[in-house]
Amino acid sequence: MQELLIAIFNGISIGSVLLIVALGLAIIFGLMGVINLAHGELMMLGAYATFVVQNIFNSMGEPIANTYILFAIPIAFIVGAIAGLILEKGVIRFLYGRPLETLLATWGVSLILRQFVRSVNGVLIIGIIIFCILYFGGLYFVKKRRSDWEKIKNLARAIIFFLSLTISIACGFLLKIPGLIKPWFSARNVDVTAPVWLQGGLPIGEFQLPYSRIFIIILTAISLLLIYLFLNKSNWGLRIKAVTQNRSMSACLGIPTNQVDTITFSLGSGLAGVAGCAITLLGSVGPNTGQNYIVDAFMVVVVGGVGNLFGTVIAAMGIGITNYLIGSGTIALILGDIETMKMLTNLFNFFATTSMAKVMVFALIIVFLQLKPAGLFPQKGRTNN
């Protein structure tokens, strides 16, 4: 019995990781219908932001170093939100209502972000800063000086973009100083060490419940509560719910749907950053970290019902617990004591590995979606684009 309870706890901890990853995805997918394949890379940015914060705090020594995780969580959220804001303004904004193009564009962005963390260095950051100053400064200058801005804006943007990019690249070639060209992270995984107070575990009989997993469960619960309060108690949260239900009617009532889209995408991306901070407590992180979670996160959103937070919670916990019970061999162990269940015991023994457990879970999800294609809790109302 104790083994089963420990297995359920581990399943809940896995479900909590899936939930915190899927929360932002559920909000974005539910409101915009955007299949954001770069969501995993936004999570990866949050993980690297946590790594950077850890290094800064470690340089300050004890006891400040042990508090880094408390500061890394909001910083990871901000990094993810800013990256999401840039993605929405620069790419997604022009592709609404075109799901295939959105899918391909976000997949391309995910490749760019993965390569970015592999090769980012001081020269690249300086080049990006120079480009942003020249591009946005140039746009502001021309917009103020030309009364016919609306007629020439597309041409002006193209010319200013080309000139800014050319100058920033030229500056990059001129700044090839050894200290600046060294990659910050490289392609290798980096390790984030949990604070001393999150190491070890809570003893339960012969087992221990790791403090790090308990912390992730608590972090997920707090994130879920804050999102619920935001969506149901704040003005912008109510606007998001209104646009989710009926975009056209919301626009007729004066709700700025473009701003709602921006806030929603930034919020969902910020949650991805928090998820990245959480997974650093489970192991090392690298450029491909996000790809390990993105498929499972989409499965959680689809099974729970697109845009339904309660359904997302149930689906995440269900998938997490099922995955662990099968993969750890707990179900096979329980059935092994029943003489009439030998065939089922052999079946679950065959799937009692992490990779094979995922195969069985995906098969069960496919069967479930045949019975309930809209998920556990189908979205009510109409979403008009």
Side-chain angles (χ1 to χ4, degrees):
M1 185 64 181
Q2 192 178 63
E3 289 84 352
L4 178 60
L5 293 176
I6 296 297
I8 291 174
F9 168 80
N10 288 328
I12 290 173
S13 67
I14 293 172
S16 296
V17 174
L18 287 178
L19 176 57
I20 201 170
V21 174
L23 267 180
L25 202 60
I27 295 171
I28 293 171
F29 195 19
L31 175 67
M32 305 172 169
V34 172
I35 303 175
N36 181 18
L37 292 184
H39 192 78
E41 277 58 49
L42 296 174
M43 182 177 70
M44 173 198 67
L45 292 179
Y48 274 101
T50 303
F51 172 72
V52 173
V53 171
Q54 174 199 241
N55 289 342
I56 293 173
F57 274 66
N58 283 344
S59 65
M60 299 179 185
E62 302 292 346
I64 296 176
N66 280 319
T67 64
Y68 84 86
I69 194 72
L70 303 178
F71 295 88
I73 292 171
I75 291 174
F77 178 87
I78 292 170
V79 169
I82 292 174
L85 177 65
I86 295 171
L87 177 58
E88 197 276 336
K89 290 285 189 182
V91 179
I92 304 297
R93 173 62 53 91
F94 306 103
L95 299 175
Y96 286 132
R98 296 153 63 185
L100 180 59
E101 286 90 339
T102 303
L103 186 148
L104 292 174
T106 54
W107 178 63
V109 169
S110 74
L111 296 178
I112 292 172
L113 289 176
R114 271 182 269 168
Q115 187 56 43
F116 173 79
V117 298
R118 291 188 184 105
S119 56
V120 63
N121 54 31
V123 173
L124 181 58
I125 295 300
I126 292 172
I128 291 173
I129 293 172
I130 293 173
F131 171 81
C132 290
I133 293 173
L134 293 176
Y135 179 69
F136 293 108
L139 286 180
Y140 179 79
F141 179 80
V142 175
K143 189 175 181 179
K144 287 293 184 181
R145 291 299 184 101
R146 295 295 296 260
S147 58
D148 58 344
W149 168 254
E150 290 299 323
K151 294 181 180 179
I152 67 166
K153 63 180 181 181
N154 291 332
L155 178 61
R157 284 172 177 167
I159 293 174
I160 294 172
F161 178 86
F162 177 76
L163 291 175
S164 302
L165 184 63
T166 303
I167 294 172
S168 60
I169 291 174
C171 290
F173 280 111
L174 294 174
L175 289 172
K176 286 193 173 181
I177 303 170
L180 291 178
I181 62 175
K182 182 181 178 181
W184 291 357
F185 307 119
S186 77
R188 293 178 297 177
N189 286 11
V190 297
D191 293 316
V192 178
T193 305
V196 173
W197 52 277
L198 285 181
Q199 297 175 10
L202 181 68
I204 303 291
E206 298 177 358
F207 301 92
Q208 277 193 339
L209 304 183
Y211 290 134
S212 58
R213 290 185 178 269
I214 295 174
F215 180 80
I216 290 173
I217 293 172
I218 294 172
L219 176 62
T220 304
I222 293 173
S223 300
L224 186 63
L225 176 62
L226 292 176
I227 290 300
Y228 175 82
L229 292 175
F230 174 77
L231 291 177
N232 291 279
K233 302 298 181 181
S234 69
N235 290 334
W236 280 108
L238 294 175
R239 288 169 184 165
I240 289 173
K241 292 182 71 175
V243 174
T244 303
Q245 292 293 315
N246 194 311
R247 178 179 290 271
S248 299
M249 184 60 71
S250 299
C252 291
L253 292 173
I255 295 176
T257 55
N258 286 340
Q259 292 182 32
V260 169
D261 289 339
T262 301
I263 290 172
T264 303
F265 206 92
S266 298
L267 177 63
S269 301
L271 287 171
V274 174
C277 180
I279 64 171
T280 60
L281 298 174
L282 301 178
S284 60
V285 295
N288 297 318
T289 294
Q291 296 302 303
N292 298 331
Y293 293 91
I294 188 65
V295 174
D296 289 345
F298 270 112
M299 288 296 99
V300 169
V301 173
V302 171
V303 170
V306 176
N308 190 296
L309 288 183
F310 181 70
T312 303
V313 175
I314 300 299
M317 293 304 162
I319 292 175
I321 292 172
T322 304
N323 207 346
Y324 188 83
L325 288 177
I326 296 173
S328 65
T330 303
I331 293 181
L333 185 65
I334 294 172
L335 293 177
D337 297 331
I338 305 174
E339 188 66 26
T340 57
M341 295 289 184
K342 282 189 176 180
M343 288 186 62
L344 276 178
T345 302
N346 292 333
L347 176 66
F348 281 106
N349 272 326
F350 177 75
F351 286 97
T353 61
T354 303
S355 57
M356 291 304 295
K358 280 195 174 186
V359 172
M360 177 173 257
V361 169
F362 284 148
L364 292 174
I365 289 173
I366 291 171
V367 173
F368 170 79
L369 291 177
Q370 298 304 310
L371 303 174
K372 298 201 70 173
L376 286 170
F377 302 97
Q379 192 179 66
K380 296 179 181 179
R382 296 170 294 172
T383 52
N384 301 322
N385 295 312

